[in-house]
Amino acid sequence: MFWIERTEPYRIFRRVGVIAGAVLLSWLTWLSGAARGDSIVLVTGSILKDVQIDKAGWDTVSYKIGNNPQAIEGKKVAGIERSSTWLSPIRAALSGGDFAAAAKAIEKPMKDVQQFGKDWEKSEAAYLLGKFYFNWANEEPSKVGEAVKHLKAYLETNKGTRDINVPPATYALGKAQLLAGNPADAEAQFKSLNEYGGEKTLWSYRAKVGLAWAKLKSKGGGNGNGEALEARKLFLEVLEDKSAPAEVQQEAAVGRAETFNAKEQYDEAVRLLAQRFFRPGAAQEVPYNEHYAEACNVMGDAYRLRKTKENLEEAELWYLRTTCFCKNFPGAYRRAVRGLIEVYDKLGKKERAKEWQAK
């Protein structure tokens, strides 16, 4: 086995960790304080704050600034955040890392929103429920059936309404079908994303990324049958396309790094993620989203899989980075916890392993 020297950029990155954490907390505080109005996140990364969204479709988002009506093409929108009294407790409960506790905590709020909420609030609640079970299924495979069921139910009810969450629900359903071992159904979902906005738009790029994931996660994808290499090629096509939105490129970078780990090319995985996420000064460029969290985890995997003491200690640092900065992304958080448990077991730190098993 071999190892990579802990270079100066990584030492610099550790020193800016506290600053990065402060940036993250500031961003999350802004999100939680969005009660003054709604917000629209554009694929360029810009945010339209304190607007009033009237109707949110995947093709068009209509809103007001003051009393002035506005509209923006859906293909320019990466996501929205709408202020909602009924949805707030659901969103808050689902942001934690304890899935069983969250499932219990949302029971009453889900009933409340279905009884008292507006139509869009009911739709979003249904989408959030499906996404929640998808995240849980990444931790607990027995939940994948619930994920598929709830995402299908949301799509059956809302696809005809052009609701803004239809494309992300379709993407999540494709990934849930992968977890369920149904690659053909997954590919069908990913290909259907091309309906939402046309070529070289957010969802056409996600269609290609989804197909890459399908090839990587297919049976034997990492065992020399060519699927991992084909996935690597598709991820690279997105990475090299300057028209692709930054967030999609981030996911493609994580996926491509996973293909390197699948082929035991750990140096390549580390170099790619260091370039895309962890360069000195990159904390100002890369948002602390779920792809950043997964990048930390894949870095941890690249070191953990080498199994030497020094590499296991390096893996520990990367998994801890996820648990410190990315608690708002339960799937990534739980993956980091699993990584830490394995690292501490292999390092002979049984008490530390037990501490993380209890989280």
Side-chain angles (χ1 to χ4, degrees):
M1 286 293 179
F2 52 88
W3 57 278
I4 291 179
E5 182 181 358
R6 300 183 188 185
T7 59
E8 182 62 22
Y10 293 122
R11 289 194 289 271
I12 292 172
F13 183 77
R14 288 192 184 91
R15 287 198 293 271
V16 301
V18 174
I19 297 174
V23 172
L24 171 64
L25 290 174
S26 175
W27 182 74
L28 292 176
T29 300
W30 172 77
L31 278 181
S32 64
R36 291 183 302 163
D38 306 329
S39 59
I40 302 171
V41 182
L42 306 181
V43 294
T44 60
S46 300
I47 301 174
L48 303 178
K49 303 179 183 179
D50 298 329
V51 302
Q52 180 184 334
I53 296 174
D54 294 324
K55 186 175 181 180
W58 59 258
D59 53 344
T60 304
V61 177
S62 303
Y63 63 99
K64 291 179 182 176
I65 299 178
N67 292 321
N68 300 317
Q70 309 279 335
I72 188 169
E73 290 180 285
K75 65 183 180 181
K76 296 180 180 179
V77 177
I80 63 173
E81 177 82 11
R82 298 177 83 169
S83 179
S84 168
T85 300
W86 298 112
L87 288 174
S88 289
I90 297 173
R91 292 168 177 165
L94 298 187
S95 67
D98 188 332
F99 293 106
K104 185 174 180 62
I106 64 174
E107 288 180 359
K108 184 178 185 303
M110 288 295 291
K111 292 179 181 178
D112 289 343
V113 76
Q114 293 303 324
Q115 183 175 357
F116 303 112
K118 300 175 182 177
D119 287 345
W120 72 263
E121 290 173 311
K122 296 175 183 178
S123 295
E124 182 172 326
Y127 164 65
L128 290 175
L129 187 62
K131 189 68 182 293
F132 165 69
Y133 276 104
F134 166 68
N135 286 332
W136 197 354
N138 280 279
E139 166 75 9
E140 176 50 64
S142 66
K143 300 298 178 182
V144 70
E146 289 291 312
V148 171
K149 180 182 76 173
H150 288 293
L151 288 167
K152 280 186 173 180
Y154 163 80
L155 287 169
E156 287 171 1
T157 301
N158 294 280
K159 192 168 184 177
T161 70
R162 308 173 87 84
D163 184 72
I164 195 168
N165 287 317
V166 166
T170 301
Y171 192 52
L173 178 56
K175 285 192 169 182
Q177 294 286 20
L178 284 182
L179 291 176
N182 302 320
D185 291 339
E187 288 195 22
Q189 295 299 324
F190 294 138
K191 288 178 180 177
S192 73
L193 290 171
N194 288 301
E195 302 172 14
Y196 306 116
E199 295 184 5
K200 288 190 175 293
T201 59
L202 174 64
W203 294 107
S204 67
Y205 286 114
R206 287 217 188 277
K208 182 175 286 189
V209 170
L211 182 59
W213 282 120
K215 291 186 178 299
L216 177 59
K217 302 297 184 182
S218 65
K219 186 176 181 181
N223 296 322
N225 68 352
E227 292 295 311
L229 296 180
E230 181 62 22
R232 185 180 301 176
K233 178 183 176 182
L234 290 170
F235 285 131
L236 182 61
E237 289 176 6
V238 175
L239 282 172
E240 291 184 336
D241 191 331
K242 294 181 180 179
S243 299
E247 187 175 347
V248 180
Q249 288 196 326
Q250 291 160 21
E251 184 175 0
V254 171
R256 186 167 165 83
E258 291 256 33
T259 69
F260 286 125
N261 279 351
K263 292 295 186 181
E264 299 183 9
Q265 296 171 296
Y266 306 125
D267 284 357
E268 294 298 325
V270 168
R271 273 193 286 268
L272 172 61
L273 294 175
Q275 178 188 16
R276 289 284 175 169
F277 291 91
F278 307 119
R279 299 187 312 274
Q284 286 75 44
E285 301 171 11
V286 180
Y288 291 84
N289 57 19
E290 62 183 314
H291 307 310
Y292 174 89
E294 290 296 358
C296 291
N297 286 337
V298 177
M299 282 287 264
D301 293 345
Y303 286 103
R304 174 181 56 81
L305 292 169
R306 302 176 212 233
K307 302 177 183 178
T308 66
K309 181 176 183 293
E310 180 122 18
N311 283 306
L312 288 170
E313 290 173 345
E314 188 72 28
E316 175 192 10
L317 295 175
W318 287 104
Y319 293 135
L320 286 174
R321 194 167 283 132
T322 304
T323 62
C324 286
F325 297 152
C326 303
K327 289 183 178 180
N328 256 37
F329 306 107
Y333 179 85
R334 299 308 307 178
R335 178 176 174 178
V337 169
R338 292 196 301 272
L340 283 170
I341 292 169
E342 183 173 341
V343 163
Y344 289 132
D345 277 337
K346 290 181 177 178
L347 287 173
K349 299 181 179 180
K350 303 302 181 182
E351 291 303 315
R352 290 287 285 153
K354 288 180 181 178
E355 288 176 15
W356 284 97
Q357 284 173 340
K359 291 184 181 291

